[in-house]
Amino acid sequence: MKNFVEELKWRGMIQDIMPGTEEKLMEGPQAAYVGIDPTADSLHIGHLVSVMILKHFQNCGHKPYALVGGATGMIGDPSMKSAERNLLDEETLRHNVEGIKAQLSHFLDFDSDAPNKAELVNNYDWMKDYTFINFIRDIGKHITVNYMMAKESVKKRLSRDSSEGMSFTEFSYQLMQGYDFYWLWKNKGCILQLGGSDQWGNITTGTELIRRMDGGQAFALTCPLIRKADGTKFGKTEKGNIWLDPERTSPYEFYQFWLNVADNDAESYIKIFTMLDRETIESLIARHRENPGARELQKVLAEEVTRMCHGQEALDNAIEASRMLFSGNSETLRKLDERTFLSVFGDVPSFDLPKADLPVNIMDLLAVKTAILPSKGEARKMIQGGGIAINKDKVTDIAAEVSEADIVNGHYILAQKGKKNYFIINIK
């Protein structure tokens, strides 16, 4: 068997680990789980560390469980949060769970006949019929309020919100998560819970519950919360989260996120977010340090993560779109599907033009039908100086016409002024 803990250590993916965990895992195949909050129907890259840990766990011969918190998602975890989250109804949660499982299947083997194939479980299944009286009688009596108050997540929340405090609903979260661990330990043989470092308190409540209720032994392992080299939050952009759902974050935008990470971040991310082996990664980092301008590390990182999340075809489209920006022509532009086209150019200034106005003289298009240039005189000057392109092809003839043949994806004509100024003309 491959040593799971050793694999995570060199990748920098361990924050805290309970004594005896490594030795227990080396005894033979074991089962472990990661909890995922189904607050949306898509994962974002903030979830990816835990998902990659589960992937490594399966890769090392162990059996992974992905637990979606259909019950706990109705409450909200106070760990590292500044406010209570919105409570979700059952129908929304069911929809979210289905979306999450589809994405997890890109990383984990759910469908083979292997004894360590992954399983998805939902804590709503074992919590929905558990009455409040039975829960506090059977489970609550084993964990003291003093024990729960001593948890860092609770103390931080209470110190921040001294005026509002914490609702009993949120306070009970760690007891419910602890019971999840107990249920999976008892019914599925899960001896280990994996998660982010902010979950350490909740995870160890589970190990304590297993010890106090049945005298059993269970283990905990957490990964660091990922920050960028400058200390800012990983995975956030001006547009918000980077999602795994291609409808929320296009594969092109996804690819560009990884392609543009800082050098220091790329060195840690290549270890955390890819399955490349140690020798390959160390060789890549060495070459990157010799020639950081080539950005080889970022390119490999972007390719590996995009391929894993979205597949080879989406990766090829993203690479093609990136190349097209710098060296493309109308032929490469036409190869882009509409979604990728809009991912690349969706935020540039746009103008509407009735299809009936085509064909149109290039100067009229730039200065009369649109306001790309302020006057026909300016348009003439830019065209003759080689500063105008339509669909990435340079236009140097002031008598040139733009026609229906220039429409891309049935709706668009792309105009370019200079090297970096793009405009979309929407054909109506």
Side-chain angles (χ1 to χ4, degrees):
M1 283 188 66
K2 230 173 140 184
N3 189 321
F4 171 68
V5 173
E6 196 176 272
E7 181 72 18
L8 293 193
K9 274 181 181 172
W10 76 261
R11 291 179 181 273
M13 294 174 77
I14 296 181
Q15 176 80 21
D16 297 297
I17 182 169
M18 197 170 276
T21 303
E22 184 172 8
E23 292 78 5
K24 182 67 178 176
L25 292 176
M26 291 309 291
E27 289 177 9
Q30 306 291 345
Y33 84 97
V34 162
I36 297 169
D37 219 349
T39 47
D41 59 1
S42 172
L43 302 172
H44 54 73
I45 60 173
H47 294 107
L48 266 188
V49 186
S50 295
V51 174
M52 290 302 294
I53 284 181
L54 217 51
K55 184 173 176 65
H56 282 296
F57 192 71
Q58 187 173 45
N59 204 43
C60 289
H62 303 291
K63 184 175 180 68
Y65 285 84
L67 180 146
V68 288
T72 39
M74 292 179 170
I75 294 174
D77 179 7
S79 303
M80 309 301 284
K81 307 292 189 304
S82 59
E84 290 200 28
R85 72 178 43 154
N86 293 329
L87 309 187
L88 301 174
D89 61 72
E90 189 178 339
E91 186 181 344
T92 302
L93 283 164
R94 193 181 300 113
H95 168 76
N96 291 353
V97 167
E98 288 171 3
I100 288 169
K101 181 173 183 184
Q103 292 176 346
L104 287 173
S105 64
H106 291 295
F107 301 87
L108 302 171
D109 167 23
F110 285 96
D111 301 318
S112 76
D113 296 327
N116 71 324
K117 74 174 183 178
E119 288 187 35
L120 186 89
V121 291
N122 185 343
N123 61 12
Y124 184 74
D125 294 336
W126 57 82
M127 289 301 300
K128 64 183 175 184
D129 297 322
Y130 213 150
T131 67
F132 178 70
I133 290 173
N134 288 344
F135 186 80
I136 59 173
R137 183 194 63 193
D138 300 343
I139 310 303
K141 68 182 182 182
H142 293 284
I143 301 292
T144 66
V145 171
N146 305 54
Y147 178 86
M148 294 171 75
M149 292 285 288
K151 296 296 184 180
E152 197 62 30
S153 60
V154 175
K155 288 196 291 189
K156 279 186 178 177
R157 177 63 187 277
L158 288 174
S159 65
R160 275 200 303 261
D161 292 349
S162 54
S163 59
E164 295 180 18
M166 176 191 286
S167 71
F168 176 77
T169 303
E170 280 200 297
F171 183 62
S172 64
Y173 186 94
Q174 67 167 289
L175 196 57
M176 289 184 71
Q177 186 172 328
Y179 179 67
D180 285 343
F181 198 174
Y182 173 79
W183 193 94
L184 287 167
W185 175 82
K186 187 133 182 117
N187 294 279
K188 298 290 187 180
C190 275
I191 56 98
L192 172 64
Q193 185 179 166
L194 308 160
S197 59
D198 60 326
Q199 292 296 309
W200 182 255
N202 292 339
I203 294 173
T204 52
T205 296
T207 62
E208 188 66 10
L209 199 57
I210 289 165
R211 186 186 70 79
R212 293 185 185 186
M213 287 183 70
D214 279 19
Q217 187 181 34
F219 301 89
L221 185 154
T222 64
C223 55
L225 295 178
I226 307 301
R227 292 263 171 196
K228 291 195 247 181
D230 61 8
T232 56
K233 192 170 182 179
F234 165 75
K236 289 277 189 181
T237 68
E238 289 179 8
K239 292 183 179 179
N241 284 322
I242 302 293
W243 298 92
L244 271 60
D245 179 355
E247 298 300 324
R248 290 173 180 245
T249 300
S250 73
Y252 169 78
E253 292 170 303
F254 188 86
Y255 174 78
Q256 286 293 318
F257 171 83
W258 300 100
L259 194 62
N260 290 309
V261 301
D263 290 344
N264 289 344
D265 290 330
E267 290 195 11
S268 61
Y269 294 173
I270 196 85
K271 297 174 186 174
I272 296 169
F273 297 109
T274 78
M275 296 297 289
L276 297 173
D277 61 61
R278 188 170 190 169
E279 186 181 348
T280 301
I281 287 174
E282 287 177 351
S283 173
L284 278 167
I285 290 173
R287 292 203 301 275
H288 174 76
R289 288 178 179 175
E290 286 174 12
N291 183 15
R295 299 183 70 77
E296 182 185 4
L297 198 55
Q298 283 92 335
K299 288 173 186 172
V300 173
L301 171 67
E303 288 176 12
E304 290 290 322
V305 185
T306 305
R307 184 186 295 110
M308 190 159 43
C309 293
H310 294 297
Q312 186 64 45
E313 186 179 349
L315 170 62
D316 291 342
N317 281 339
I319 292 172
E320 192 69 38
S322 300
R323 283 187 189 140
M324 186 271 303
L325 268 176
F326 299 102
S327 58
N329 53 34
S330 59
E331 189 179 336
T332 54
L333 185 70
R334 289 176 188 280
K335 287 180 183 176
L336 302 182
D337 59 78
E338 184 174 9
R339 188 173 66 188
T340 306
F341 176 86
L342 292 175
S343 297
V344 181
F345 300 109
D347 293 331
V348 306
S350 65
F351 301 92
D352 291 340
L353 183 70
K355 188 183 275 191
D357 285 1
L358 297 176
V360 61
N361 172 264
I362 183 65
M363 290 197 296
D364 287 333
L365 177 68
L366 299 173
V368 179
K369 300 294 186 181
T370 70
I372 293 171
L373 289 168
S375 67
K376 290 176 75 169
E378 187 69 23
R380 178 191 295 271
K381 203 184 300 179
M382 285 291 292
I383 292 166
Q384 291 176 334
I388 294 295
I390 296 294
N391 294 338
K392 298 296 289 182
D393 288 339
K394 198 166 280 191
V395 179
T396 54
D397 181 3
I398 59 172
E401 288 194 331
V402 177
S403 68
E404 288 188 30
D406 295 303
I407 299 173
V408 175
N409 276 312
H411 301 288
Y412 314 104
I413 293 173
L414 181 71
Q416 184 178 354
K417 179 179 72 175
K419 285 187 176 179
K420 296 183 178 178
N421 297 307
Y422 289 96
F423 306 84
I424 287 180
I425 301 167
N426 296 305
I427 306 302
K428 299 293 189 180

